[in-house]
Amino acid sequence: MATIHNLGFPRIGAKRELKFALEFYWKGESSREELKSIGASLRQRHWAAQSSLDLVPVGDFAFYDQVLDMSFTLGNLPERVWDFHGDQLDNYFRVARGRSAKSAEEHASCCGGVAAGEMTKWFDTNYHYIVPEFNADTTFKLDASRLLEQLAEAKAQGVKAKPVIIGPVTYLSIGKAKDDSDKLALLERLLPVYTELLETLAAQGVEWVQIDEPILVTELDDTWKDAFETAYTYFKSIKVKLLLATYFGQLLENRELVASLPVAGVHVDAINGRDDIASLLALLPADKIVSLGVINGRNIWKTDLNTVLDWVEPLAQQLGERLWIAPSCSLLHVPVDLDSEQRLDTEIKSWLAFAIQKLDELKVLATALRNGRAAVKAELDANQAAINARRNSPRVNNPAVKAALGELDAKLGKRKSPYAQRAAKQSVSLNLPKYPTTTIGSFPQTADIRQARSYFKAGTLDEAAYKAAMQREIERSVREQEALGLDVLVHGEAERNDMVEYFGEQLEGYAFSQFGWVQSYGSRCVKPPILFGDISRPQPMTVEWIKYAQSLTSKPMKGMLTGPVTILNWSFVRDDQPRSVSCYQLALAIRQEVLDLEKAGVHVIQIDEAALREGLPLRKSQWKEYLDWAVESFRITANGVEDDTQIHTHMCYSEFNDIIASIADMDADVITIETSRSDMELLDAFDNFNYPNEIGPGVYDIHSPNIPSEEHIVQLMRKAAERIPAERLWVNPDCGLKTRQWAEVIPALTNMVAAAKVLRSGQ
Ligand code: GLN
Ligand code: ZN
């Protein structure tokens, strides 16, 4: 009873072995064979870690991205890489990164660099995939070699393999038709290739294939629903059994569709979608497997096992052999192994579970279902003790924070006067020229800065010396900005390692892991801080630095903070209260910082909300609810200030069409956005909405080492002025400059300031 399985395992390695192996290889410091052998040993280790499961995922490993792997399996490579004569793996990296290791010398005759494939977020996770490219002529051709190789390795290791592939409808849906042709028209060509793939796996003795169709948790129009019917009816007589896997949310209105597809089993997310399950079960034919994702694959908390059993035991009675259990989604989105953590506070550690621990939980659940809870009494008791300890811990519960939250009222989020009146006052007090110039916050994080920080962390540099080193950097930034002639200065963020971690480290209610890495894309990983308790701010976090910076100049100094929504969206968050509650707590804490900055004489304050858009739910019907609390959180943070304090916000993108009303609702006096690469067309959203406040559309692409020319900046700003009245325009880069060199920043900003002068003179 109760087959247990897993949908995918983190591939990066407990100590990020894959990251380092990839980067070595790309730098030309290791051979392809070495890289491949590290891949194989990671797979081997990860399968061993899953050996207690009845079915183990195979094919979830990818050197860069599982979607790109699928594109290779389907023979869908962009035309620009067709002429490559080298090793397939190098061509794979060319699509991923625009170049292969050593390709410049090895393949000088056949290929230079190519445009990298576009990257975008995998549903609502922080994982980014390489977008499949299509056009009306796209054809497909099976290359099952990667999957077969991994399957053979797994078999040799005695693994009970369940190959994992991305389903055809999701594959088409997450790709992009470069010529705007109808992607769905390709389904007809795609299905025979999938069939061949599935038959090939069947011929290898595979019994089950997990076919991932996460778009089933999103709103689908009829053509996409039909595509599901067409596809899965096409697979009807295939010899392997298909487990149709859905995750990241609820099926809702897609339940009937899912239940009607002729597959052998269905996996559903029982964390987000528990309410779906009773009605899904009622709809499903009685011979189908139901796999319930009962362990959260998106967070790092221990599962409350007894509560899960209370819910699943009756289902197990009802379903018998038909019930499978698993994590809700692939464990790609959680770190590998909690046992690696040596420095994490032991109390907090006792509340957590990473991938390996989640699989242990699965095993306990299965044993309890098969043999009764008594068979795993010790494990269940220990789990219950941890759950209770977390629930009741004074470190999680701060009555003062809860009381403050109880007193939230609409007034907190409202400025004293409307924008027009504030703008008039700010124009007198700040006395800025037309087309004021500023930057987004960070200046280059030089080797000296990084070294000082790491010595300070290691204890070899004392606090006074560290502070002096950072003050020298701040002074340097201020002097450079004065020399450049910028109008609103920043302190440069030298003291910050990361815009979220810096605040998390100073807030009560946050913990940090050493190895809690999660793959973001390719070799890039992030280590989200862990928001575990009620959030409070024991003392000011930025005031001393900004005050110091302001003391060095008579120009206005812009205080620099990260907003509550971004801190929330880039953290592992609590599962014991709604996200909105955690966000309001963050808002109240950062509001205090805003007010303290104002009290210290800082009258321009920027609150970055780089990740606001990222938090949008997968279903449009749920956007409003999110946007309401996200915007209100920002307003609570920002809007307690006097009229003559100017609030800025910054967002690293420019797709505002569908959220422009909410952005306007935030009511920041100035918003800076990323527009330099879009030729200002993306300002149309603001124009069409008659966005009322000031805007700084980025004119300097900070992702590129290129120096924008004065003429180019003038030209971009003129385009901006066709859409937004010049009185409300600022001149600034797309984003912070921390990843650039001073040698690039100085000429770029020189041109930017010169361009502003040209614009002012109206030439
Ligand atoms: N103030 C931050 C910086 O300049 C903003 C970074 C971001 O938006 N990602 O680096
Ligand atoms: Zn940015």
Side-chain angles (χ1 to χ4, degrees):
M1 201 159 95
T3 294
I4 53 174
H5 72 117
N6 185 20
L7 278 71
F9 195 84
R11 55 183 81 111
I12 204 77
K15 298 277 161 68
R16 287 182 294 161
E17 293 88 334
L18 182 58
K19 170 195 175 68
F20 300 117
L22 285 167
E23 289 171 358
F24 252 59
Y25 177 65
W26 292 335
K27 273 192 244 152
E29 287 168 12
S30 69
S31 68
R32 195 179 304 124
E33 284 58 47
E34 283 170 281
L35 175 62
K36 285 186 176 171
S37 97
I38 289 175
S41 69
L42 282 170
R43 289 193 289 273
Q44 190 182 34
R45 202 187 311 160
H46 296 162
W47 287 326
Q50 301 174 83
S51 59
S52 59
L53 304 179
D54 300 309
L55 285 169
V56 176
V58 169
D60 54 338
F61 179 88
F63 274 113
Y64 201 95
D65 164 40
Q66 74 265 15
V67 178
L68 185 58
D69 277 14
M70 200 65 212
S71 290
F72 272 70
T73 302
L74 297 169
N76 180 32
L77 279 55
E79 197 170 337
R80 62 183 178 280
V81 304
W82 287 358
D83 63 352
F84 192 73
H85 305 312
D87 186 89
Q88 166 104 310
L89 187 61
D90 280 333
N91 211 17
Y92 171 90
F93 290 136
R94 280 176 93 218
V95 185
R97 311 170 59 237
R99 63 206 127 104
S100 63
K102 294 184 273 175
S103 71
E105 305 103 68
E106 260 184 48
H107 304 290
S109 58
C110 62
C111 55
V114 289
E118 197 182 308
M119 211 165 53
T120 198
K121 271 161 67 75
W122 175 243
F123 295 84
D124 61 351
T125 72
N126 195 15
Y127 177 82
H128 300 73
Y129 68 92
I130 305 287
V131 178
E133 296 177 29
F134 306 120
N135 57 52
D137 302 325
T138 299
T139 52
F140 303 96
K141 184 171 183 303
L142 181 65
D143 176 358
S145 55
R146 172 192 60 94
L147 210 47
L148 290 179
E149 219 174 280
Q150 294 185 21
L151 195 58
E153 283 171 20
K155 274 196 200 155
Q157 201 181 320
V159 170
K160 293 151 277 182
K162 175 193 59 177
V164 178
I165 59 175
I166 295 167
V169 188
T170 292
Y171 181 75
L172 286 177
S173 137
I174 63 173
K176 191 167 175 176
K178 290 287 188 181
D179 57 356
D180 282 330
S181 59
D182 174 19
K183 295 185 282 185
L184 265 182
L186 300 175
L187 188 64
E188 218 178 298
R189 281 177 228 162
L190 195 53
L191 294 179
V193 180
Y194 266 87
T195 305
E196 198 186 336
L197 171 62
L198 294 169
E199 296 294 6
T200 305
L201 294 171
Q204 295 298 312
V206 165
E207 184 187 3
W208 281 96
V209 173
Q210 173 186 322
I211 189 157
D212 288 0
E213 293 281 13
I215 66 158
L216 282 164
V217 306
T218 67
E219 287 136 346
L220 299 172
D221 64 30
D222 287 345
T223 52
W224 288 91
K225 287 188 180 165
D226 290 346
F228 271 105
E229 278 177 15
T230 310
Y232 288 86
T233 310
Y234 195 96
F235 301 149
K236 209 171 164 176
S237 44
I238 255 154
K239 287 186 219 61
V240 281
K241 293 182 188 154
L242 295 181
L243 179 71
L244 179 77
T246 69
Y247 40 81
F248 300 151
Q250 298 172 272
L251 298 176
L252 299 179
E253 75 284 355
N254 296 329
R255 275 191 303 245
E256 279 81 6
L257 171 66
V258 168
S260 72
L261 297 175
V263 290
V266 175
H267 171 85
V268 285
D269 175 347
I271 299 292
N272 291 298
R274 190 179 284 196
D275 300 343
D276 271 341
I277 286 159
S279 34
L280 180 72
L281 288 179
L283 292 165
L284 270 182
D287 57 340
K288 281 196 191 169
I289 297 296
V290 186
S291 164
L292 298 180
V294 292
I295 290 182
N296 197 329
R298 295 285 295 276
N299 77 17
I300 38 68
W301 302 109
K302 272 189 177 152
T303 309
D304 181 346
L305 297 176
N306 281 311
T307 303
V308 170
L309 286 170
D310 291 343
W311 178 64
V312 175
E313 276 165 351
L315 291 174
Q317 286 298 324
Q318 179 192 336
L319 295 167
E321 292 298 326
R322 287 172 58 210
L323 176 70
W324 291 14
I325 54 172
S328 57
C329 59
S330 165
L331 297 175
L332 180 64
H333 312 290
V334 294
V336 179
D337 189 1
L338 187 64
D339 288 346
S340 305
E341 299 296 328
Q342 300 304 321
R343 287 196 223 129
L344 201 57
D345 176 289
T346 48
E347 188 183 1
I348 293 168
K349 189 172 168 182
S350 74
W351 305 336
L352 303 181
F354 292 177
I356 303 248
Q357 289 69 36
K358 285 176 187 280
L359 295 177
D360 290 341
E361 293 183 338
L362 198 58
K363 203 165 58 182
V364 174
L365 286 175
T367 312
L369 289 173
R370 287 166 191 159
N371 306 327
R373 295 194 204 192
V376 273
K377 184 170 184 317
E379 288 87 343
L380 288 176
D381 287 351
N383 172 267
Q384 192 64 56
I387 299 294
N388 293 344
R390 178 178 162 213
R391 195 172 291 147
N392 302 321
S393 168
R395 300 180 63 188
V396 172
N397 303 293
N398 180 335
V401 175
K402 290 200 159 62
L405 221 66
E407 281 159 25
L408 284 186
D409 77 55
K411 280 206 289 301
L412 269 188
K414 255 185 107 106
R415 290 293 290 260
K416 300 198 167 63
S417 313
Y419 165 76
Q421 285 173 35
R422 294 177 340 236
K425 290 191 195 169
Q426 290 163 17
S427 135
V428 174
S429 60
L430 293 170
N431 193 23
L432 297 171
K434 207 170 151 189
Y435 288 109
T437 54
T438 191
T439 60
I440 306 304
S442 56
F443 275 110
Q445 285 264 329
T446 60
D448 284 354
I449 296 177
R450 286 177 211 278
Q451 195 181 56
R453 190 183 306 124
S454 78
Y455 286 172
F456 177 52
K457 283 210 162 155
T460 46
L461 191 67
D462 67 23
E463 186 159 355
Y466 173 72
K467 192 170 159 194
M470 292 302 117
Q471 288 188 337
R472 275 197 301 279
E473 293 295 338
I474 290 173
E475 180 162 9
R476 172 185 186 181
S477 297
V478 172
R479 297 291 166 246
E480 295 286 8
Q481 293 173 84
E482 286 188 321
L484 284 161
L486 287 155
D487 299 307
V488 172
L489 311 195
V490 296
H491 79 297
E493 303 182 24
E495 80 289 6
R496 301 185 190 175
N497 38 356
D498 171 277
M499 64 188 282
V500 170
E501 194 167 291
Y502 180 76
F503 291 94
E505 277 173 349
Q506 301 185 72
L507 291 168
E508 248 2 291
Y510 259 105
F512 294 84
S513 66
Q514 277 170 281
F515 300 102
W517 297 100
V518 181
Q519 192 176 17
S520 172
Y521 63 88
S523 67
R524 266 289 293 258
C525 300
V526 293
K527 188 154 64 67
I530 299 167
L531 191 168
F532 68 87
D534 289 337
I535 294 292
S536 61
R537 186 200 67 148
Q539 61 208 24
M541 304 181 280
T542 65
V543 176
E544 279 311 308
W545 298 115
I546 310 289
K547 235 167 67 180
Y548 173 73
Q550 181 69 84
S551 76
L552 299 171
T553 179
S554 56
K555 293 261 179 104
M557 177 60 56
K558 182 161 65 166
M560 194 57 56
L561 302 171
T562 304
V565 187
T566 298
I567 296 185
L568 183 89
N569 284 341
W570 284 348
S571 301
F572 280 120
V573 296
R574 297 170 65 167
D575 59 350
D576 58 348
Q577 65 187 23
R579 292 172 77 80
S580 56
V581 172
S582 298
C583 200
Y584 286 134
Q585 292 186 354
L586 286 162
L588 286 174
I590 301 165
R591 175 187 172 94
Q592 294 175 338
E593 188 72 14
V594 170
L595 296 177
D596 279 348
L597 280 170
E598 185 182 49
K599 235 185 274 162
V602 179
H603 293 295
V604 184
I605 300 171
Q606 177 173 313
I607 304 163
D608 289 326
E609 284 293 16
L612 188 122
R613 211 195 144 82
E614 271 183 31
L616 283 172
L618 289 174
R619 284 172 184 270
K620 272 217 157 152
S621 57
Q622 293 162 1
W623 280 23
K624 183 175 179 313
E625 195 226 328
Y626 164 76
L627 286 168
D628 283 352
W629 59 254
V631 168
E632 186 58 18
S633 297
F634 179 86
R635 292 171 57 109
I636 289 170
T637 304
N639 289 353
V641 296
E642 297 299 326
D643 285 349
D644 56 6
T645 294
Q646 187 172 64
I647 295 290
H648 290 222
T649 189
H650 166 70
M651 298 183 188
C652 303
Y653 42 82
S654 47
E655 305 147 54
F656 290 102
N657 261 318
D658 41 10
I659 55 168
I660 186 72
S662 301
I663 301 297
D665 230 18
M666 288 166 68
D667 201 18
D669 297 300
V670 183
I671 182 170
T672 55
I673 57 176
E674 183 168 317
T675 35
S676 76
R677 274 181 295 187
S678 81
D679 220 23
M680 298 291 155
E681 271 162 31
L682 293 154
L683 273 184
D684 287 347
F686 290 83
D687 184 10
N688 296 337
F689 187 77
N690 287 324
Y691 182 82
N693 303 7
E694 289 157 55
I695 309 178
V699 288
Y700 163 15
D701 174 8
I702 59 94
H703 302 293
S704 150
N706 300 339
I707 311 295
S709 69
E710 179 190 315
E711 298 72 51
H712 183 62
I713 296 173
V714 169
Q715 195 195 340
L716 284 174
M717 288 305 300
R718 293 229 158 100
K719 288 193 175 151
E722 286 165 15
R723 295 168 168 94
I724 308 291
E727 303 70 53
R728 287 198 265 118
L729 283 173
W730 286 63
V731 183
N732 48 260
D734 271 347
C735 192
L737 301 165
K738 60 174 164 257
T739 56
R740 301 257 62 92
Q741 313 280 323
W742 276 108
E744 297 158 346
V745 164
I746 302 274
L749 294 180
T750 301
N751 293 349
M752 192 182 92
V753 172
K757 289 202 178 122
V758 171
L759 292 160
R760 279 169 208 157
S761 71
Q763 284 160 17

